[in-house]
Amino acid sequence: MMVPTIFFFLQFSTLLYLSTVSFASTEEATALLKWKANFRNQNNSLLASWTLSTDACRDWYGIICFNGRINWLNITNVGVTGTLYDFPFSSLPFLEYVDLSMNQLFGTIPPELGKLTNLVHLNLSINQISGSIPPQTGSLTKLETLSIFDNHLNGSIPVEVGKMKSLEVLTLESNNLFGPIPTTLGDLTKLKVLDLYSNQFSGPVPSELGNLKDLTVLELSHNQLSGSIPTVVGDLTELKILDLHSNQLSGLIPSELGNLEKLTDLALYDNQLSGSIPIAVGDLTEIKILYLYSNQLSGPIPSELGNLEKLTDLALSDNQLSGSIPITLGNLTELKRLYLQSNHFFGPIPSELGNLKNLTGMDLSGNQFSGSIPITLSYLTKLKRLYLQFNQLSGPIPSELGNLKNLTILELYANQLSGSIPITLGDLTELKILYLSSNQLSGPIPSDLGKCKKLIDLRLRRNNISGSIPPEVGKVQGLQGLFLSSNHLIGQIPKEFGKLTSLVNLFLQNNNISGNIPEELGSLTKLESLDLSNNRLNGSIPMCVGDFVHLFQLNLSNNKFGQKIPKDIGRITHLSVLDLSHNLLDGVIPIQLASLLDLSNLNLSHNGLSGRIPEEFESLTSLQDVVLSYNELEGPIPNNKAFTNASLKGNKSLCGC
């Protein structure tokens, strides 16, 4: 009789258990449906499965159960628009995993969150949640991951967070949190990731963070942290990423950082750090990214940085570093980006930099480098961007630079380079930017530049370049800026320029260019600035200038243009500067110029203009500077405040009547 009794008891217990499970699941499902009923968007296809007629544990989207109780809720990126006010915290005591990220949740986090004491993972990231983090969050002592990044949280981090002793990941970046970083975070000894990026935290970096011996990521950038970097950061020997950039940190870079042998990323840029770069940084042999730029660092680059053979990015720009570039940097054969601009480096550019075969970007601009451009730079065949401007480099541009077939930007301006422009630059068919201005370059513009079909900006101004402008430049049909001013160019403006229909800026002033303005230039309808001043151009100003409807600046002064001012200029309604002075223009000032309501500077002086100043000029309220002197104008002066101080001398008879 014992066996049937036991069997009956087991049957009864099972039925009782199933009855309990069924009741609990119904209660949980009903509670979730009440929350769903408050969503602003009820037509959510992914949550259509949430109905009482279906089994929450088997049929509901994003739900996983354990022993009939809801254990897992994952409705990330399903388009929910609602709040957490009606979330059934009390009805879901067995929840361990909650992911509501990438929705449109708004409002505050209710303190009832603290009732989910079995929670292991909570992700509310990428929503519109506001308000503060409730102190009750500290009750979640089993929580291992807390992610509420990219919301609108404000207030401070509650000190109670330090009670979450199981926490391994804490990510609160991209919010509006403020106040000091609580020292109680130092009690989270299991923490591996601490990310507080892009908030408004202030005060010092707590030295208590030195207790987090398992930490692999410390991300505190884009805040308002001040004071020095605590030396105890050097105790975080598991650290792989240390990011403190864009704060107000000052003082020295601790040499103790050299203890972080597993570090791969060190970003301390955009602070107020001073002193020298510690030699101990050369011990970080696993490091790949070293960003120390935009500080107040001084002294030389330690030659020990040449030990960092895994380094891919080295950025030391915008500091007060000095001395020469150590030749040991030539050992960094994995380096892809080298940025040393805006310091006080001097001496020659080491030829050893030619060993950096993986380099794609190098910026040495804004220093005091002298000597010639090393030919070895031509070995850097992966290079896309090369900036050497604002130095004291001399000698010729190496023709070997034509080997850099991947180059898109070459900036060598503001140096003392001499000789001719190498025709091999025409082999740089990927080139988009070529700046050679403000040097001592001579000889002609190579026609081979016409092969650089991707060029959008060509600047050769302020050199000693001679000869005529090669018509092949007209083949570079994507060109937006052409700056050839202040050279010794002769000949005519090539009619092929009419093909440069993308051109926005054309500057040819201060040369010896002659002939007419080609009618073909009428195709350049995107022009915003046209300066042909101080040349020997003649003929009439073509009517096609009126087609330059986007023009802000038109300067044709100091040429030999004759005949009348074309009335078509009145169609350039956005024109701000119009200078036709020092020509041979005659006839009357066209009344159509009164349509130039944005005009601020008008100079028609030193011509042979006659008649009256159009009274319609009274409407040109933007005028600030007017020069009409040395013409044959007569009659009344327009009632416009700009004419009060206008230069009108050397005319027939002008009066303010």
Side-chain angles (χ1 to χ4, degrees):
M1 296 295 294
M2 181 65 71
V3 173
T5 304
I6 294 173
F7 180 74
F8 173 78
F9 176 75
L10 290 174
Q11 278 187 318
F12 177 77
S13 300
T14 301
L15 287 171
L16 182 64
Y17 171 75
L18 291 174
S19 174
T20 304
V21 168
S22 175
F23 173 76
S25 295
T26 302
E27 179 190 14
E28 292 175 344
T30 302
L32 280 175
L33 287 175
K34 286 182 180 179
W35 179 48
K36 179 190 173 187
N38 287 291
F39 293 170
R40 289 188 176 180
N41 53 334
Q42 292 297 314
N43 298 324
N44 192 305
S45 59
L46 290 173
L47 299 186
S49 59
W50 286 25
T51 64
L52 282 177
S53 61
T54 56
D55 187 336
C57 291
R58 290 187 300 177
D59 303 322
W60 283 24
Y61 177 87
I63 298 292
I64 297 177
C65 296
F66 181 74
N67 288 334
R69 307 302 294 268
I70 294 177
N71 175 260
W72 184 293
L73 173 59
N74 183 354
I75 53 171
T76 180
N77 196 24
V78 298
V80 169
T81 302
T83 71
L84 294 173
Y85 301 148
D86 299 299
F87 187 88
F89 296 101
S90 299
S91 301
L92 300 171
F94 295 95
L95 269 180
E96 293 185 6
Y97 185 101
V98 175
D99 192 338
L100 308 180
S101 63
M102 292 189 286
N103 284 290
Q104 297 176 42
L105 296 174
F106 58 93
T108 60
I109 300 173
E112 287 79 10
L113 173 67
K115 295 179 179 179
L116 300 179
T117 53
N118 286 305
L119 212 55
V120 174
H121 178 97
L122 176 60
N123 191 347
L124 303 176
S125 303
I126 314 178
N127 281 289
Q128 300 170 27
I129 298 170
S130 57
S132 58
I133 300 171
Q136 290 81 358
T137 305
S139 301
L140 307 179
T141 55
K142 294 182 181 179
L143 201 64
E144 296 176 2
T145 300
L146 176 58
S147 295
I148 322 180
F149 62 84
D150 203 354
N151 278 282
H152 305 302
L153 294 174
N154 53 40
S156 57
I157 297 177
V159 295
E160 288 82 359
V161 170
K163 298 177 181 179
M164 304 165 70
K165 297 298 174 60
S166 299
L167 208 59
E168 295 181 3
V169 176
L170 177 59
T171 55
L172 303 175
E173 71 266 25
S174 299
N175 281 287
N176 298 309
L177 297 166
F178 57 82
I181 297 173
T183 58
T184 54
L185 293 189
D187 297 333
L188 305 177
T189 54
K190 292 185 179 180
L191 205 61
K192 295 179 180 178
V193 176
L194 176 59
D195 194 341
L196 307 181
Y197 162 86
S198 192
N199 280 283
Q200 300 174 33
F201 293 115
S202 57
V205 177
S207 60
E208 287 79 2
L209 297 186
N211 299 330
L212 308 179
K213 297 298 192 297
D214 291 336
L215 206 62
T216 61
V217 176
L218 179 56
E219 168 60 273
L220 305 180
S221 60
H222 275 285
N223 281 287
Q224 300 170 21
L225 299 172
S226 57
S228 58
I229 300 172
T231 58
V232 292
V233 173
D235 297 336
L236 306 178
T237 53
E238 296 298 314
L239 211 57
K240 293 183 178 180
I241 297 175
L242 176 57
D243 197 342
L244 305 178
H245 75 81
S246 301
N247 280 288
Q248 300 169 18
L249 298 171
S250 58
L252 306 178
I253 298 174
S255 60
E256 287 81 359
L257 296 188
N259 299 331
L260 307 179
E261 295 180 356
K262 296 182 180 180
L263 205 64
T264 62
D265 294 52
L266 176 59
L268 306 180
Y269 63 91
D270 197 14
N271 279 289
Q272 300 167 22
L273 299 170
S274 57
S276 58
I277 299 172
I279 292 174
V281 173
D283 296 332
L284 304 176
T285 53
E286 295 297 314
I287 200 164
K288 295 181 179 180
I289 294 176
L290 179 57
Y291 288 163
L292 305 180
Y293 63 89
S294 295
N295 279 288
Q296 299 170 19
L297 299 172
S298 58
I301 299 175
S303 61
E304 287 77 5
L305 294 193
N307 299 331
L308 309 179
E309 295 183 358
K310 294 184 180 180
L311 204 62
T312 62
D313 291 65
L314 177 59
L316 308 178
S317 54
D318 293 288
N319 278 289
Q320 300 169 23
L321 297 168
S322 59
S324 57
I325 298 178
I327 60 174
T328 54
L329 294 193
N331 299 332
L332 306 179
T333 54
E334 295 298 315
L335 205 63
K336 294 181 179 179
R337 285 162 286 271
L338 175 61
Y339 298 130
L340 305 180
Q341 71 268 24
S342 301
N343 278 287
H344 304 304
F345 296 122
F346 55 82
I349 297 173
S351 60
E352 287 78 4
L353 296 187
N355 298 331
L356 309 180
K357 300 293 174 41
N358 287 302
L359 212 60
T360 61
M362 180 163 67
D363 194 340
L364 307 182
S365 64
N367 282 286
Q368 300 167 29
F369 291 116
S370 57
S372 58
I373 299 173
I375 293 175
T376 54
L377 296 189
S378 65
Y379 304 159
L380 308 177
T381 54
K382 293 184 181 180
L383 204 61
K384 294 182 178 180
R385 298 170 300 278
L386 177 58
Y387 304 94
L388 302 179
Q389 71 271 21
F390 286 111
N391 278 290
Q392 300 171 18
L393 297 170
S394 58
I397 299 173
S399 61
E400 290 82 359
L401 294 187
N403 297 331
L404 305 179
K405 298 297 194 297
N406 290 301
L407 209 60
T408 61
I409 299 176
L410 177 58
E411 298 193 11
L412 307 179
Y413 65 93
N415 278 287
Q416 301 168 23
L417 299 170
S418 58
S420 58
I421 300 172
I423 61 174
T424 54
L425 295 189
D427 297 332
L428 304 178
T429 53
E430 296 297 314
L431 205 60
K432 295 181 179 179
I433 305 290
L434 178 58
Y435 290 171
L436 306 180
S437 301
S438 299
N439 278 288
Q440 300 170 20
L441 299 171
S442 57
I445 298 173
S447 60
D448 296 71
L449 292 183
K451 296 189 294 185
C452 301
K453 299 295 176 59
K454 295 185 179 180
L455 208 59
I456 60 174
D457 206 340
L458 175 59
R459 304 192 181 194
L460 308 178
R461 57 188 176 188
R462 291 191 293 274
N463 278 289
N464 298 314
I465 298 170
S466 58
S468 57
I469 302 172
E472 287 81 2
V473 175
K475 296 179 180 179
V476 189
Q477 296 185 11
L479 204 60
Q480 297 176 17
L482 180 57
F483 300 79
L484 306 179
S485 56
S486 301
N487 280 289
H488 304 303
L489 296 171
I490 59 172
Q492 300 187 355
I493 299 173
K495 62 181 181 180
E496 288 79 4
F497 275 16
K499 299 175 183 178
L500 303 178
T501 53
S502 297
L503 208 59
V504 175
N505 297 300
L506 178 57
F507 288 88
L508 305 179
Q509 71 269 27
N510 300 321
N511 281 289
N512 294 308
I513 300 170
S514 58
N516 300 327
I517 297 177
E519 288 288 342
E520 288 80 0
L521 263 59
S523 303
L524 309 184
T525 54
K526 293 183 180 179
L527 273 181
E528 295 180 3
S529 295
L530 175 61
D531 195 336
L532 307 179
S533 61
N534 289 293
N535 278 289
R536 297 181 179 180
L537 295 167
N538 54 36
S540 60
I541 299 173
M543 292 185 294
C544 67
V545 297
D547 297 329
F548 303 152
V549 293
H550 298 290
L551 211 60
F552 290 100
Q553 174 188 357
L554 176 59
N555 191 342
L556 305 179
S557 64
N558 286 281
N559 280 288
K560 297 180 180 180
F561 291 115
Q563 302 184 40
K564 294 179 172 57
I565 298 174
K567 61 183 181 181
D568 304 79
I569 292 178
R571 294 193 284 121
I572 314 174
T573 54
H574 295 294
L575 202 62
S576 178
V577 176
L578 176 60
D579 192 344
L580 306 179
S581 63
H582 293 271
N583 277 291
L584 305 173
L585 299 168
D586 57 23
V588 298
I589 299 174
I591 192 174
Q592 288 80 1
L593 298 190
S595 301
L596 307 179
L597 298 180
D598 292 337
L599 200 64
S600 62
N601 294 75
L602 174 63
N603 192 342
L604 305 178
S605 65
H606 293 272
N607 279 289
L609 300 173
S610 58
R612 300 157 64 96
I613 302 173
E615 61 181 337
E616 288 79 2
F617 277 19
E618 294 178 1
S619 64
L620 300 180
T621 54
S622 296
L623 268 181
Q624 298 177 8
D625 189 10
V626 177
V627 183
L628 301 178
S629 54
Y630 298 102
N631 281 287
E632 298 178 13
L633 299 170
E634 56 187 336
I637 298 171
N639 184 20
N640 183 311
K641 63 180 182 180
F643 283 87
T644 303
N645 298 316
S647 178
L648 303 173
K649 63 182 179 180
N651 280 285
K652 269 190 177 181
S653 176
L654 290 170
C655 64
C657 51

